Amino acid sequence: MAPRAAPPRFGPRQLLLAAAGAVAAALDVCADGWVAAEYARGGQAGWAALALALLAAASVATQACSWLWLRSDPPALRPDVPRWLLAALHLLQLGFLFRCLHALKVGWKVCWAKAEEEEEQRRMAFLSHDISMLRLFETFLENTPQLTLLLYVILRTNKAEPSQGLGICTAFLCVTWSLLDYHQSLRSFLQDKYELSLGSSIIYFLWNLFLICPRILAVALFALLWPYGVAIHFPLVWLAMFLWVSLQGTDFMESPGPEQLYRAMVAVILYFSWFNVAQGRTLYRSIIYHSFILVDSTLLALSWLWCRSPSDEHLYLIPVVSTALPCYLLGLVLRVTYYKWLHPNVQAQQEGSFDEVDASGRTNGLGFRSLSVPDLVNKRMQWLAQAQFPVSWPLGQRFLNGAAAL
């Protein structure tokens, strides 16, 4: 059996990326407020109100999720500040930003203050993952609807300001980057030396980009044809996704009420992009989901093509729409390529570097990165790792046995 390396460590590069993420989170809020102000200044009070409503709804949901996690975490995983102060920060919608700053403080200690013990590395992995997941929620609850609104406004006015074009490009990059960052962060929680390579990261980023772009374009075109139709389409598809998630029996939060919040947020993600929430093989669930989204997006685009006026000034969009389906299919091809040849587990299988269970019942490699005290296991990450990284039998059984021992 090939020797295994030590788990990936948090270093200066990761600290720099964490700092960039904190700055990006603050700038994103400022940019959204600036866009809303521009709408109001231009006499479009409705668009301004919608932009602010999307921003507020995403912020409230993200802060609520962050507070529920902090409240349910063991004391050793919480920031060393009074609980009332944490509650006040979340009420002021500053909880996520505080998490980012706290992670930077711990990361600086790990990198430069000679605190490189495995315990601190694992603690940093927990902090980084929670931030990554909260960023993913905020991105899909706020950025993707804002991106759809921005594209709709450009198409409606048939005029694009340089700032709007830049905003669209950066928003697409942020959405797909959040998915890649979440995936990489979750892998850092596993005792697995096989992290995403540069090539794997690029393909993972591209297939998400190629799948999300046609989806947002189709929704924006449908809004261009029937602006209020989206107010009907989104709740219906969201409800279908919510039922889909509920039927898979998620068990992510500590109690039933917060679990419904989690399912509702995941349903918003599924409106735009694939997100696995259940253990076991994902092939058939993925086929069902992508087939549904492909049919739904095609119907939205065809409705615009069918109902537009022959003298429509948006004739230039026809070539764009005609490339949407090939773009989506290319995304699916890249996804198959990633899981077939570029996934880190493929490398593990090729080298025969599988894990064995030691006498304590813990896995030596693909087990969870827990703190030395069993009570300090991050159960959210444990559950997500089981759902996001299914492994084949009998390795899967050994993996789950090790998880149960935690």
Side-chain angles (χ1 to χ4, degrees):
M1 184 177 65
R4 300 194 64 85
R9 306 186 72 82
F10 188 90
R13 184 174 68 89
Q14 289 76 16
L15 180 64
L16 181 61
L17 291 175
V23 173
L27 291 179
D28 182 61
V29 174
C30 296
D32 292 335
W34 176 77
V35 170
E38 288 295 314
Y39 288 153
R41 192 176 297 114
Q44 301 293 342
W47 294 347
L50 181 57
L52 290 176
L54 292 172
L55 177 61
S59 179
V60 169
T62 304
Q63 302 294 332
C65 199
S66 174
W67 170 248
L68 289 170
W69 292 355
L70 284 174
R71 193 179 63 176
S72 63
D73 281 343
L77 291 180
R78 301 173 190 166
D80 189 19
V81 297
R83 185 167 178 173
W84 67 265
L85 180 57
L86 286 176
L89 288 171
H90 283 81
L91 285 175
L92 294 173
Q93 307 303 297
L94 297 174
F96 177 66
L97 182 59
F98 173 78
R99 275 181 176 269
C100 294
L101 297 177
H102 175 65
L104 288 177
K105 177 182 177 182
V106 177
W108 179 269
K109 178 182 177 182
V110 168
C111 291
W112 307 113
K114 308 301 183 183
E116 297 185 357
E117 294 84 358
E118 185 62 25
E119 193 80 358
E120 291 296 327
Q121 289 284 340
R122 291 170 174 173
R123 192 181 304 274
M124 191 63 212
F126 293 158
L127 294 175
S128 299
H129 177 73
D130 278 350
I131 291 173
S132 179
M133 191 165 191
L134 288 171
R135 182 182 293 116
L136 180 71
F137 284 158
E138 185 181 40
T139 297
F140 276 91
L141 266 66
E142 187 260 318
N143 282 3
T144 46
Q146 291 276 13
L147 179 57
T148 306
L149 175 62
L150 181 58
L151 186 57
Y152 163 78
V153 171
I154 292 175
L155 295 177
R156 173 63 64 184
T157 59
N158 207 28
K159 180 179 64 175
E161 300 293 338
S163 58
Q164 291 176 318
L166 179 62
I168 287 180
C169 294
T170 54
F172 272 120
L173 292 176
C174 288
V175 170
T176 49
W177 177 262
S178 68
L179 288 167
L180 175 61
D181 177 66
Y182 167 77
H183 188 72
Q184 290 177 323
S185 174
L186 190 56
R187 289 199 67 84
S188 71
F189 177 54
L190 300 176
Q191 296 279 10
D192 184 1
K193 71 175 182 179
Y194 298 104
E195 294 185 284
L196 291 179
S197 64
L198 178 61
S200 299
S201 299
I202 292 174
I203 296 300
Y204 192 93
F205 177 86
L206 288 178
W207 71 253
N208 280 290
L209 179 65
F210 289 151
L211 292 180
I212 292 174
C213 284
R215 177 61 174 173
I216 292 180
L217 175 62
V219 176
L221 288 175
F222 184 69
L224 185 64
L225 186 64
W226 293 303
Y228 296 103
V230 178
I232 299 175
H233 177 266
F234 174 79
L236 290 178
V237 175
W238 175 87
L239 180 60
M241 295 302 173
F242 180 81
L243 295 175
W244 166 268
V245 174
S246 300
L247 289 174
Q248 294 181 61
T250 62
D251 188 21
F252 181 74
M253 305 292 273
E254 294 293 327
S255 58
E259 187 67 26
Q260 300 306 314
L261 173 63
Y262 167 73
R263 293 174 179 178
M265 297 170 74
V266 170
V268 176
I269 297 178
L270 288 171
Y271 182 84
F272 295 100
S273 175
W274 164 258
F275 187 80
N276 185 40
V277 295
Q279 301 176 22
R281 292 179 59 84
T282 62
L283 177 61
Y284 298 115
R285 292 197 298 268
S286 179
I287 291 175
I288 293 173
Y289 170 80
H290 285 293
S291 299
F292 176 86
I293 292 297
L294 181 59
V295 171
D296 182 68
S297 299
T298 301
L299 290 176
L300 294 179
L302 288 178
S303 65
W304 176 79
L305 286 171
W306 182 266
C307 299
R308 66 179 180 83
S309 170
S311 59
D312 198 329
E313 58 185 358
H314 297 100
L315 292 177
Y316 65 90
L317 286 175
I318 294 180
V320 177
V321 175
S322 64
T323 62
L325 179 58
C327 179
Y328 195 89
L329 295 178
L330 177 59
L332 293 177
V333 170
L334 289 177
R335 184 181 180 191
V336 172
T337 301
Y338 170 80
Y339 283 105
K340 184 72 174 179
W341 291 288
L342 298 176
H343 194 279
N345 286 353
V346 176
Q347 181 183 356
Q349 293 173 0
Q350 291 174 347
E351 297 185 8
S353 182
F354 292 123
D355 303 328
E356 293 181 355
V357 180
D358 61 20
S360 67
R362 299 176 184 267
T363 56
N364 296 326
L366 280 172
F368 301 114
R369 299 185 71 183
S370 62
L371 299 179
S372 59
V373 182
D375 291 340
L376 298 185
V377 172
N378 190 317
K379 296 180 180 179
R380 293 188 302 275
M381 298 173 68
Q382 175 178 312
W383 189 89
L384 285 170
Q386 291 177 347
Q388 296 289 335
F389 300 107
V391 286
S392 59
W393 186 272
L395 177 61
Q397 183 60 44
R398 299 202 301 267
F399 179 70
L400 295 177
N401 287 343
L406 296 175

